[in-house]
Amino acid sequence: MQGLAGKVAVCTGSGRDNGLGAAILRRLADEGCRIVVSDLGAPDKLLDSDDIGVTDEMEAVAEDMRKRGAESIAVPCDVRSESSVHQLFDTIVEKFGQVDILVNNAGIGYLMRGFQDVSLDEWKVVLDVNLTGAFLCTQHAAGHMIKAGNGGRIINIASQAAKSGFPHLAAYVASKHGMVGLTRSNAIEFGEHNITVNAVCPNHVTTGLGAKQNEYYSKLRGQTLEEFMSAMRKRIPLGRPGLPEDTAAAVAYLASDDARYITGEALNVSGGEEMH
Ligand SMILES: NC(=O)c1ccc[n+]([C@@H]2O[C@H](COP(=O)([O-])OP(=O)(O)OC[C@H]3O[C@@H](n4cnc5c(N)ncnc54)[C@H](O)[C@@H]3O)[C@@H](O)[C@H]2O)c1
């Protein structure tokens, strides 16, 4: 990939070793970027320690980046909090002098429930993390990018759920559709600053979040996990669910100079499962 060496890349929600965020950063580190690992760091209401990247995990991901030869720091950030987001970008600029690539990856996708039973708190936490978090991080990152005048890349990790509905995931689906709207609006406004803004829309990937969805949906449909996964494989033209590396490759491409004329897109990375 052209143009990634030396760039400073930050990915939110990247503190879990088996998550998409860590895979994205591994790929960007291998392409020569300087790496900022960021995640919530500590559990919170509706966000258990089993489901979030805690400080030790974040530090382990940053250490992995250093072992791959990349400069790397880990910075905790709750993307719902403007002061926390402000602090994240101040820390990045203080340490590396610039921010070139923002990946909005923090997300909650495991609060599944029939629509009539969704509480207002559950609705809000999903919208706050998945959509408001991307809004806040984009505002702060773009502020630094515009001031530096060197252009930039903003990449939003949306989902197949940004284009199609799924039962028992109304808040998630609404937040991911919203993320594509945010992508398109930002692409228009930031074009004059040579900042491209794109979304990546993966289908199922068996991360921590993905495994919880499989467990829930197989029970909902009265299938064993293997029956559920087998049906999934059959409906995907390329015959398998996504891997974290598939999403990471798409992100690296969109972050590279090769994608300099691409903005406002929502790229499916779904083995052909999603086609619009
Ligand atoms: N796994 C899939 O099948 C799949 C498919 C499409 C899209 N996605 C999207 O990819 C992204 C990563 O998901 P994943 O599958 O790697 O799951 P994951 O649970 O490993 O990653 C989500 C991360 O978001 C972090 N997070 C949660 N609340 C946060 C907050 N308030 N502030 C900062 N970080 C916070 C978590 O700590 C976690 O590290 C999500 O946006 C998800 O919606 C996942």
Side-chain angles (χ1 to χ4, degrees):
M1 300 275 172
Q2 299 290 309
L4 288 172
K7 293 275 164 67
V8 176
V10 53
C11 180
T12 63
S14 56
R16 301 183 84 193
D17 185 51
N18 67 349
L20 294 184
I24 289 165
L25 290 180
R26 280 195 290 272
R27 178 63 193 263
L28 292 176
D30 292 349
E31 297 287 345
C33 291
R34 293 176 280 168
I35 298 295
V36 182
V37 180
S38 185
D39 212 313
L40 191 55
D44 194 351
K45 197 179 163 209
L46 295 173
L47 304 173
D48 300 339
S49 56
D50 282 355
D51 301 316
I52 62 134
V54 295
T55 308
D56 287 355
E57 290 174 284
M58 267 171 50
E59 291 293 348
V61 173
E63 182 55 27
D64 180 32
M65 302 297 149
R66 289 190 282 270
K67 282 191 184 137
R68 304 173 95 87
E71 267 188 81
S72 181
I73 54 170
V75 187
C77 174
D78 182 344
V79 297
R80 296 167 295 177
S81 152
E82 183 152 29
S83 59
S84 182
V85 170
H86 187 90
Q87 185 63 45
L88 168 66
F89 287 96
D90 272 6
T91 306
I92 297 170
V93 172
E94 197 177 300
K95 166 78 185 164
F96 291 119
Q98 65 201 71
V99 55
D100 303 298
I101 300 162
L102 164 67
V103 184
N104 283 310
N105 170 75
I108 305 180
Y110 47 80
L111 290 174
M112 284 161 280
R113 220 180 282 294
F115 183 71
Q116 291 300 97
D117 297 321
V118 175
S119 72
L120 184 57
D121 277 353
E122 287 169 335
W123 173 268
K124 279 185 173 162
V125 76
V126 175
L127 269 291
D128 281 353
V129 175
N130 297 10
L131 189 54
T132 308
F135 156 73
L136 286 173
C137 291
T138 297
Q139 225 176 32
H140 285 262
H144 287 288
M145 289 172 184
I146 291 167
K147 198 168 153 205
N150 298 319
R153 295 282 192 268
I154 296 170
I155 299 161
N156 294 322
I157 306 305
S159 170
Q160 187 174 23
K163 297 186 179 180
S164 292
F166 288 85
H168 291 222
L169 269 177
Y172 185 74
V173 170
S175 72
K176 295 295 185 180
H177 274 67
M179 211 176 201
V180 171
L182 184 70
T183 302
R184 291 177 176 149
S185 298
N186 287 163
I188 295 168
E189 286 197 38
F190 296 152
E192 66 175 303
H193 301 290
N194 198 24
I195 298 168
T196 67
V197 188
N198 291 288
V200 175
C201 301
N203 67 337
H204 171 75
V205 185
T206 309
T207 57
L209 179 158
K212 282 204 159 180
Q213 290 180 345
N214 291 342
E215 207 178 298
Y216 184 88
Y217 278 129
S218 55
K219 274 194 194 133
L220 189 70
R221 292 178 191 176
Q223 293 172 314
T224 64
L225 195 56
E226 186 38 46
E227 285 165 344
F228 176 77
M229 293 307 289
S230 164
M232 183 191 291
R233 285 191 289 272
K234 279 191 190 125
R235 70 172 179 266
I236 300 172
L238 290 179
R240 64 164 176 84
L243 297 171
E245 292 74 21
D246 297 321
T247 295
V251 171
Y253 169 64
L254 290 170
S256 76
D257 283 356
D258 296 333
R260 63 175 74 80
Y261 198 56
I262 297 174
T263 196
E265 293 296 334
L267 177 66
N268 297 320
V269 178
S270 70
E273 191 179 6
E274 193 73 32
M275 291 207 184
H276 57 107

Tab-separated table of all heavy atoms in Angstrom, residues 197-245:
chain	number	residue	atom	x	y	z
A	197	VAL	N	-13.570	10.407	3.652
A	197	VAL	CA	-14.364	9.763	4.709
A	197	VAL	C	-15.139	8.607	4.072
A	197	VAL	O	-15.925	8.814	3.144
A	197	VAL	CB	-15.357	10.759	5.347
A	197	VAL	CG1	-16.026	10.127	6.574
A	197	VAL	CG2	-14.665	12.065	5.730
A	198	ASN	N	-14.857	7.409	4.528
A	198	ASN	CA	-15.524	6.221	3.980
A	198	ASN	C	-15.940	5.290	5.104
A	198	ASN	O	-15.409	5.368	6.217
A	198	ASN	CB	-14.562	5.473	3.035
A	198	ASN	CG	-14.294	6.255	1.764
A	198	ASN	OD1	-15.174	6.372	0.906
A	198	ASN	ND2	-13.094	6.821	1.641
A	199	ALA	N	-16.881	4.412	4.779
A	199	ALA	CA	-17.297	3.382	5.742
A	199	ALA	C	-16.947	2.011	5.181
A	199	ALA	O	-16.900	1.815	3.966
A	199	ALA	CB	-18.796	3.482	5.990
A	200	VAL	N	-16.699	1.079	6.088
A	200	VAL	CA	-16.509	-0.325	5.720
A	200	VAL	C	-17.652	-1.103	6.367
A	200	VAL	O	-17.985	-0.873	7.538
A	200	VAL	CB	-15.138	-0.842	6.219
A	200	VAL	CG1	-14.994	-2.330	5.949
A	200	VAL	CG2	-14.001	-0.072	5.544
A	201	CYS	N	-18.264	-1.982	5.591
A	201	CYS	CA	-19.451	-2.713	6.076
A	201	CYS	C	-19.194	-4.215	6.068
A	201	CYS	O	-19.497	-4.901	5.074
A	201	CYS	CB	-20.650	-2.377	5.183
A	201	CYS	SG	-21.039	-0.622	5.153
A	202	PRO	N	-18.621	-4.744	7.170
A	202	PRO	CA	-18.359	-6.188	7.207
A	202	PRO	C	-19.640	-6.970	7.488
A	202	PRO	O	-20.537	-6.478	8.177
A	202	PRO	CB	-17.400	-6.347	8.395
A	202	PRO	CG	-17.058	-4.957	8.859
A	202	PRO	CD	-18.146	-4.066	8.385
A	203	ASN	N	-19.693	-8.213	6.971
A	203	ASN	CA	-20.755	-9.113	7.452
A	203	ASN	C	-20.224	-9.783	8.723
A	203	ASN	O	-19.315	-9.259	9.368
A	203	ASN	CB	-21.169	-10.104	6.349
A	203	ASN	CG	-20.070	-11.095	6.013
A	203	ASN	OD1	-18.894	-10.842	6.246
A	203	ASN	ND2	-20.457	-12.227	5.434
A	204	HIS	N	-20.763	-10.952	9.060
A	204	HIS	CA	-20.398	-11.536	10.352
A	204	HIS	C	-18.909	-11.898	10.451
A	204	HIS	O	-18.359	-12.508	9.546
A	204	HIS	CB	-21.232	-12.798	10.616
A	204	HIS	CG	-20.737	-13.532	11.820
A	204	HIS	ND1	-20.984	-13.068	13.090
A	204	HIS	CD2	-19.930	-14.621	11.948
A	204	HIS	CE1	-20.372	-13.871	13.952
A	204	HIS	NE2	-19.733	-14.808	13.296
A	205	VAL	N	-18.317	-11.533	11.582
A	205	VAL	CA	-16.948	-11.938	11.930
A	205	VAL	C	-17.023	-12.477	13.360
A	205	VAL	O	-17.608	-11.819	14.238
A	205	VAL	CB	-15.963	-10.740	11.895
A	205	VAL	CG1	-14.530	-11.218	12.129
A	205	VAL	CG2	-16.064	-9.966	10.586
A	206	THR	N	-16.439	-13.645	13.611
A	206	THR	CA	-16.577	-14.231	14.953
A	206	THR	C	-15.559	-13.637	15.923
A	206	THR	O	-14.602	-14.269	16.323
A	206	THR	CB	-16.492	-15.773	14.896
A	206	THR	OG1	-17.401	-16.233	13.898
A	206	THR	CG2	-16.903	-16.393	16.227
A	207	THR	N	-15.801	-12.393	16.299
A	207	THR	CA	-15.075	-11.735	17.392
A	207	THR	C	-15.871	-12.015	18.672
A	207	THR	O	-16.851	-12.777	18.648
A	207	THR	CB	-15.053	-10.218	17.145
A	207	THR	OG1	-16.420	-9.800	17.025
A	207	THR	CG2	-14.309	-9.862	15.869
A	208	GLY	N	-15.515	-11.333	19.778
A	208	GLY	CA	-16.309	-11.477	21.004
A	208	GLY	C	-17.759	-11.078	20.759
A	208	GLY	O	-18.707	-11.794	21.122
A	209	LEU	N	-17.926	-9.931	20.079
A	209	LEU	CA	-19.270	-9.418	19.758
A	209	LEU	C	-19.991	-10.396	18.818
A	209	LEU	O	-21.153	-10.758	19.035
A	209	LEU	CB	-19.091	-8.047	19.098
A	209	LEU	CG	-20.221	-7.180	18.593
A	209	LEU	CD1	-19.744	-5.730	18.530
A	209	LEU	CD2	-20.701	-7.597	17.222
A	210	GLY	N	-19.268	-10.851	17.791
A	210	GLY	CA	-19.855	-11.758	16.802
A	210	GLY	C	-20.292	-13.075	17.433
A	210	GLY	O	-21.357	-13.613	17.105
A	211	ALA	N	-19.488	-13.601	18.354
A	211	ALA	CA	-19.826	-14.882	18.998
A	211	ALA	C	-21.117	-14.753	19.800
A	211	ALA	O	-21.958	-15.658	19.815
A	211	ALA	CB	-18.674	-15.321	19.905
A	212	LYS	N	-21.300	-13.609	20.457
A	212	LYS	CA	-22.528	-13.393	21.235
A	212	LYS	C	-23.743	-13.350	20.314
A	212	LYS	O	-24.819	-13.849	20.648
A	212	LYS	CB	-22.426	-12.084	22.028
A	212	LYS	CG	-21.581	-12.221	23.271
A	212	LYS	CD	-21.959	-11.163	24.274
A	212	LYS	CE	-21.515	-11.581	25.668
A	212	LYS	NZ	-21.849	-10.607	26.687
A	213	GLN	N	-23.582	-12.720	19.138
A	213	GLN	CA	-24.696	-12.654	18.188
A	213	GLN	C	-25.053	-14.069	17.708
A	213	GLN	O	-26.225	-14.432	17.620
A	213	GLN	CB	-24.334	-11.764	16.997
A	213	GLN	CG	-24.237	-10.292	17.369
A	213	GLN	CD	-23.867	-9.406	16.184
A	213	GLN	OE1	-23.418	-9.883	15.148
A	213	GLN	NE2	-24.044	-8.103	16.346
A	214	ASN	N	-24.043	-14.890	17.410
A	214	ASN	CA	-24.301	-16.264	16.944
A	214	ASN	C	-25.075	-17.055	17.990
A	214	ASN	O	-26.013	-17.782	17.672
A	214	ASN	CB	-22.982	-16.995	16.674
A	214	ASN	CG	-22.260	-16.421	15.480
A	214	ASN	OD1	-22.868	-15.728	14.669
A	214	ASN	ND2	-20.973	-16.706	15.374
A	215	GLU	N	-24.629	-16.925	19.229
A	215	GLU	CA	-25.263	-17.658	20.328
A	215	GLU	C	-26.740	-17.242	20.439
A	215	GLU	O	-27.634	-18.081	20.524
A	215	GLU	CB	-24.520	-17.276	21.610
A	215	GLU	CG	-24.545	-18.298	22.715
A	215	GLU	CD	-23.706	-17.758	23.877
A	215	GLU	OE1	-22.483	-17.533	23.692
A	215	GLU	OE2	-24.302	-17.515	24.922
A	216	TYR	N	-26.975	-15.944	20.396
A	216	TYR	CA	-28.335	-15.419	20.564
A	216	TYR	C	-29.237	-15.847	19.402
A	216	TYR	O	-30.339	-16.357	19.598
A	216	TYR	CB	-28.278	-13.887	20.652
A	216	TYR	CG	-29.627	-13.251	20.912
A	216	TYR	CD1	-30.087	-13.056	22.216
A	216	TYR	CD2	-30.458	-12.865	19.859
A	216	TYR	CE1	-31.323	-12.482	22.453
A	216	TYR	CE2	-31.701	-12.296	20.095
A	216	TYR	CZ	-32.123	-12.097	21.388
A	216	TYR	OH	-33.355	-11.537	21.622
A	217	TYR	N	-28.749	-15.654	18.158
A	217	TYR	CA	-29.594	-15.949	16.989
A	217	TYR	C	-29.844	-17.448	16.824
A	217	TYR	O	-30.923	-17.855	16.388
A	217	TYR	CB	-28.968	-15.391	15.707
A	217	TYR	CG	-29.246	-13.919	15.513
A	217	TYR	CD1	-28.211	-13.027	15.252
A	217	TYR	CD2	-30.543	-13.409	15.573
A	217	TYR	CE1	-28.462	-11.669	15.077
A	217	TYR	CE2	-30.795	-12.059	15.396
A	217	TYR	CZ	-29.753	-11.196	15.147
A	217	TYR	OH	-30.008	-9.862	14.970
A	218	SER	N	-28.854	-18.281	17.153
A	218	SER	CA	-29.093	-19.721	17.008
A	218	SER	C	-30.186	-20.155	17.992
A	218	SER	O	-31.085	-20.917	17.625
A	218	SER	CB	-27.801	-20.525	17.185
A	218	SER	OG	-27.198	-20.234	18.409
A	219	LYS	N	-30.145	-19.619	19.210
A	219	LYS	CA	-31.201	-19.947	20.199
A	219	LYS	C	-32.552	-19.439	19.713
A	219	LYS	O	-33.558	-20.142	19.783
A	219	LYS	CB	-30.874	-19.309	21.553
A	219	LYS	CG	-29.966	-20.164	22.391
A	219	LYS	CD	-29.923	-19.687	23.844
A	219	LYS	CE	-28.746	-20.362	24.541
A	219	LYS	NZ	-27.929	-19.448	25.303
A	220	LEU	N	-32.579	-18.197	19.208
A	220	LEU	CA	-33.824	-17.580	18.742
A	220	LEU	C	-34.470	-18.427	17.651
A	220	LEU	O	-35.691	-18.563	17.581
A	220	LEU	CB	-33.512	-16.178	18.206
A	220	LEU	CG	-34.693	-15.268	17.847
A	220	LEU	CD1	-35.437	-14.824	19.107
A	220	LEU	CD2	-34.200	-14.015	17.091
A	221	ARG	N	-33.639	-19.036	16.800
A	221	ARG	CA	-34.158	-19.827	15.666
A	221	ARG	C	-34.308	-21.300	16.003
A	221	ARG	O	-34.621	-22.110	15.132
A	221	ARG	CB	-33.222	-19.684	14.468
A	221	ARG	CG	-33.274	-18.281	13.924
A	221	ARG	CD	-32.336	-18.082	12.782
A	221	ARG	NE	-32.247	-16.660	12.485
A	221	ARG	CZ	-31.444	-16.138	11.588
A	221	ARG	NH1	-30.662	-16.896	10.890
A	221	ARG	NH2	-31.427	-14.842	11.379
A	222	GLY	N	-33.989	-21.676	17.239
A	222	GLY	CA	-34.108	-23.083	17.642
A	222	GLY	C	-33.087	-23.971	16.935
A	222	GLY	O	-33.339	-25.151	16.684
A	223	GLN	N	-31.933	-23.421	16.593
A	223	GLN	CA	-30.882	-24.196	15.920
A	223	GLN	C	-29.705	-24.398	16.865
A	223	GLN	O	-29.503	-23.609	17.787
A	223	GLN	CB	-30.360	-23.414	14.691
A	223	GLN	CG	-31.369	-23.257	13.583
A	223	GLN	CD	-30.834	-22.311	12.485
A	223	GLN	OE1	-30.312	-21.254	12.764
A	223	GLN	NE2	-30.994	-22.732	11.241
A	224	THR	N	-28.914	-25.447	16.585
A	224	THR	CA	-27.632	-25.531	17.286
A	224	THR	C	-26.715	-24.476	16.661
A	224	THR	O	-26.981	-24.003	15.547
A	224	THR	CB	-26.967	-26.920	17.099
A	224	THR	OG1	-26.662	-27.079	15.715
A	224	THR	CG2	-27.874	-28.040	17.592
A	225	LEU	N	-25.632	-24.193	17.373
A	225	LEU	CA	-24.681	-23.204	16.847
A	225	LEU	C	-24.141	-23.667	15.487
A	225	LEU	O	-24.021	-22.880	14.549
A	225	LEU	CB	-23.546	-23.028	17.863
A	225	LEU	CG	-22.640	-21.825	17.691
A	225	LEU	CD1	-23.419	-20.527	17.664
A	225	LEU	CD2	-21.599	-21.792	18.807
A	226	GLU	N	-23.865	-24.984	15.388
A	226	GLU	CA	-23.307	-25.508	14.121
A	226	GLU	C	-24.329	-25.392	12.986
A	226	GLU	O	-23.983	-25.028	11.857
A	226	GLU	CB	-22.821	-26.955	14.312
A	226	GLU	CG	-22.092	-27.536	13.095
A	226	GLU	CD	-21.170	-26.546	12.339
A	226	GLU	OE1	-20.372	-25.803	12.951
A	226	GLU	OE2	-21.284	-26.508	11.097
A	227	GLU	N	-25.605	-25.668	13.284
A	227	GLU	CA	-26.642	-25.519	12.240
A	227	GLU	C	-26.732	-24.064	11.778
A	227	GLU	O	-26.836	-23.766	10.593
A	227	GLU	CB	-28.019	-25.960	12.777
A	227	GLU	CG	-28.175	-27.460	12.901
A	227	GLU	CD	-29.376	-27.874	13.749
A	227	GLU	OE1	-29.932	-27.032	14.504
A	227	GLU	OE2	-29.756	-29.054	13.681
A	228	PHE	N	-26.664	-23.150	12.743
A	228	PHE	CA	-26.738	-21.722	12.428
A	228	PHE	C	-25.552	-21.293	11.548
A	228	PHE	O	-25.722	-20.626	10.532
A	228	PHE	CB	-26.771	-20.923	13.742
A	228	PHE	CG	-26.763	-19.442	13.540
A	228	PHE	CD1	-27.912	-18.765	13.152
A	228	PHE	CD2	-25.601	-18.705	13.739
A	228	PHE	CE1	-27.900	-17.381	12.946
A	228	PHE	CE2	-25.578	-17.333	13.541
A	228	PHE	CZ	-26.740	-16.670	13.146
A	229	MET	N	-24.350	-21.739	11.933
A	229	MET	CA	-23.148	-21.340	11.173
A	229	MET	C	-23.138	-21.971	9.779
A	229	MET	O	-22.719	-21.361	8.802
A	229	MET	CB	-21.870	-21.746	11.935
A	229	MET	CG	-21.633	-21.004	13.232
A	229	MET	SD	-21.664	-19.204	13.076
A	229	MET	CE	-20.155	-18.876	12.179
A	230	SER	N	-23.643	-23.201	9.704
A	230	SER	CA	-23.678	-23.885	8.411
A	230	SER	C	-24.629	-23.149	7.457
A	230	SER	O	-24.303	-22.945	6.279
A	230	SER	CB	-24.100	-25.335	8.667
A	230	SER	OG	-24.491	-25.935	7.497
A	231	ALA	N	-25.787	-22.714	7.971
A	231	ALA	CA	-26.732	-21.945	7.137
A	231	ALA	C	-26.090	-20.631	6.710
A	231	ALA	O	-26.265	-20.177	5.571
A	231	ALA	CB	-28.022	-21.695	7.921
A	232	MET	N	-25.331	-20.021	7.613
A	232	MET	CA	-24.654	-18.758	7.272
A	232	MET	C	-23.661	-18.986	6.127
A	232	MET	O	-23.640	-18.246	5.146
A	232	MET	CB	-23.917	-18.213	8.507
A	232	MET	CG	-23.244	-16.873	8.260
A	232	MET	SD	-22.134	-16.404	9.584
A	232	MET	CE	-23.238	-16.079	10.915
A	233	ARG	N	-22.859	-20.035	6.257
A	233	ARG	CA	-21.851	-20.309	5.204
A	233	ARG	C	-22.530	-20.527	3.850
A	233	ARG	O	-22.052	-20.065	2.823
A	233	ARG	CB	-20.998	-21.529	5.585
A	233	ARG	CG	-19.966	-21.227	6.677
A	233	ARG	CD	-18.966	-22.363	6.831
A	233	ARG	NE	-19.546	-23.548	7.439
A	233	ARG	CZ	-19.619	-23.777	8.763
A	233	ARG	NH1	-19.113	-22.911	9.623
A	233	ARG	NH2	-20.173	-24.876	9.223
A	234	LYS	N	-23.693	-21.219	3.879
A	234	LYS	CA	-24.387	-21.519	2.614
A	234	LYS	C	-24.886	-20.266	1.922
A	234	LYS	O	-24.941	-20.204	0.703
A	234	LYS	CB	-25.575	-22.452	2.884
A	234	LYS	CG	-25.163	-23.888	3.012
A	234	LYS	CD	-26.348	-24.827	3.009
A	234	LYS	CE	-25.873	-26.219	3.399
A	234	LYS	NZ	-26.573	-26.783	4.520
A	235	ARG	N	-25.268	-19.235	2.689
A	235	ARG	CA	-25.833	-18.068	1.993
A	235	ARG	C	-24.764	-17.030	1.593
A	235	ARG	O	-25.066	-16.063	0.914
A	235	ARG	CB	-26.963	-17.419	2.811
A	235	ARG	CG	-26.549	-16.711	4.049
A	235	ARG	CD	-27.690	-15.924	4.701
A	235	ARG	NE	-27.149	-15.313	5.880
A	235	ARG	CZ	-27.195	-15.834	7.108
A	235	ARG	NH1	-27.832	-16.959	7.327
A	235	ARG	NH2	-26.623	-15.215	8.114
A	236	ILE	N	-23.513	-17.267	1.976
A	236	ILE	CA	-22.445	-16.329	1.592
A	236	ILE	C	-21.768	-16.860	0.322
A	236	ILE	O	-21.221	-17.967	0.337
A	236	ILE	CB	-21.402	-16.181	2.733
A	236	ILE	CG1	-22.087	-15.644	3.997
A	236	ILE	CG2	-20.257	-15.267	2.306
A	236	ILE	CD1	-21.216	-15.636	5.238
A	237	PRO	N	-21.829	-16.105	-0.793
A	237	PRO	CA	-21.264	-16.619	-2.046
A	237	PRO	C	-19.824	-17.142	-1.911
A	237	PRO	O	-19.484	-18.151	-2.507
A	237	PRO	CB	-21.348	-15.410	-2.990
A	237	PRO	CG	-22.546	-14.666	-2.492
A	237	PRO	CD	-22.535	-14.821	-0.998
A	238	LEU	N	-18.991	-16.483	-1.121
A	238	LEU	CA	-17.607	-16.961	-0.987
A	238	LEU	C	-17.468	-18.058	0.079
A	238	LEU	O	-16.351	-18.496	0.389
A	238	LEU	CB	-16.642	-15.798	-0.724
A	238	LEU	CG	-16.431	-14.874	-1.941
A	238	LEU	CD1	-15.478	-13.726	-1.614
A	238	LEU	CD2	-15.899	-15.640	-3.150
A	239	GLY	N	-18.587	-18.479	0.674
A	239	GLY	CA	-18.617	-19.718	1.450
A	239	GLY	C	-18.062	-19.679	2.862
A	239	GLY	O	-17.884	-20.729	3.486
A	240	ARG	N	-17.807	-18.506	3.395
A	240	ARG	CA	-17.321	-18.430	4.785
A	240	ARG	C	-17.642	-17.065	5.358
A	240	ARG	O	-17.793	-16.088	4.601
A	240	ARG	CB	-15.803	-18.673	4.849
A	240	ARG	CG	-14.986	-17.606	4.132
A	240	ARG	CD	-13.517	-17.639	4.524
A	240	ARG	NE	-12.690	-16.697	3.788
A	240	ARG	CZ	-12.529	-15.407	4.094
A	240	ARG	NH1	-13.177	-14.876	5.128
A	240	ARG	NH2	-11.752	-14.620	3.383
A	241	PRO	N	-17.752	-16.967	6.699
A	241	PRO	CA	-17.905	-15.631	7.295
A	241	PRO	C	-16.625	-14.822	7.155
A	241	PRO	O	-15.588	-15.359	6.744
A	241	PRO	CB	-18.210	-15.915	8.775
A	241	PRO	CG	-18.017	-17.343	9.001
A	241	PRO	CD	-17.754	-18.037	7.692
A	242	GLY	N	-16.706	-13.542	7.481
A	242	GLY	CA	-15.540	-12.673	7.362
A	242	GLY	C	-14.493	-12.982	8.424
A	242	GLY	O	-14.781	-13.579	9.460
A	243	LEU	N	-13.274	-12.541	8.150
A	243	LEU	CA	-12.192	-12.611	9.135
A	243	LEU	C	-11.790	-11.185	9.477
A	243	LEU	O	-11.937	-10.276	8.639
A	243	LEU	CB	-10.974	-13.332	8.539
A	243	LEU	CG	-11.184	-14.797	8.155
A	243	LEU	CD1	-9.976	-15.320	7.385
A	243	LEU	CD2	-11.425	-15.623	9.428
A	244	PRO	N	-11.240	-10.956	10.674
A	244	PRO	CA	-10.775	-9.597	11.008
A	244	PRO	C	-9.816	-9.047	9.953
A	244	PRO	O	-9.846	-7.871	9.614
A	244	PRO	CB	-10.073	-9.798	12.353
A	244	PRO	CG	-10.720	-10.999	12.951
A	244	PRO	CD	-11.083	-11.899	11.795
A	245	GLU	N	-9.000	-9.934	9.368
A	245	GLU	CA	-8.015	-9.491	8.365
A	245	GLU	C	-8.688	-8.987	7.085
A	245	GLU	O	-8.113	-8.172	6.357
A	245	GLU	CB	-7.049	-10.639	8.008
A	245	GLU	CG	-6.117	-11.055	9.136
A	245	GLU	CD	-6.820	-11.857	10.249
A	245	GLU	OE1	-7.911	-12.439	9.992
A	245	GLU	OE2	-6.290	-11.880	11.376
